[in-house]
Amino acid sequence: MTRTQRIKRIVDLADVTRREASQQVASTRRAHEENLAQIEQFRRYRAEYARALGVGEHSMSAARARELRRFIEQIERTIETLARQTQRTERLCGDAIGRWQQAARRSDALGEVLNSSASGAARIAEDREQREIDDRHRHRDDER
């Protein structure tokens, strides 16, 4: 196996790592966006129920008002939990982006090494071929 072929295998592995890192970025972004959407949905629920409590507080029973307040508190706890999850997924997304950037830089650098190696190998092959041609011409000239 030539040096260029060995480097090509390493480049291929680096490209796989880069693709996997890219998929991880997409996955963590999706999770983060889902968390943000859920938080927004629960905030709308909370506002809706708070509005219902404010409007109907005087006309509803005390037991119903307490029940509604407890439900709003549960929604607020859910929002707090989702906010912590969102912070976590945001960090995970940032970490995944960092790993992807590192994998991309490595893959690009190895690609440059491969290109350099391939052009060097081509240059060596051309030089060798030219020497062989020159040797044949010299050998013919010597025979004359």
Side-chain angles (χ1 to χ4, degrees), residues 7 10-12 14-15 18 104-118:
I7 293 171
I10 293 169
V11 168
D12 291 343
D15 286 343
R18 180 187 208 163
R105 282 191 300 271
R106 178 174 165 72
S107 179
D108 291 345
L110 287 169
E112 290 175 18
V113 169
L114 176 63
N115 290 338
S116 174
S117 176

Side-chain angles (χ1 to χ4, degrees), residues 46-78:
R46 180 183 57 196
E48 225 177 274
Y49 285 106
R51 205 172 15 260
L53 179 63
V55 170
E57 191 169 24
H58 299 296
S59 62
M60 68 176 69
S61 70
R64 174 73 180 129
R66 274 193 308 277
E67 185 179 304
L68 202 47
R69 280 191 201 97
R70 273 195 297 271
F71 186 65
I72 291 170
E73 289 171 2
Q74 285 178 334
I75 292 174
E76 288 173 353
R77 284 192 295 275
T78 300

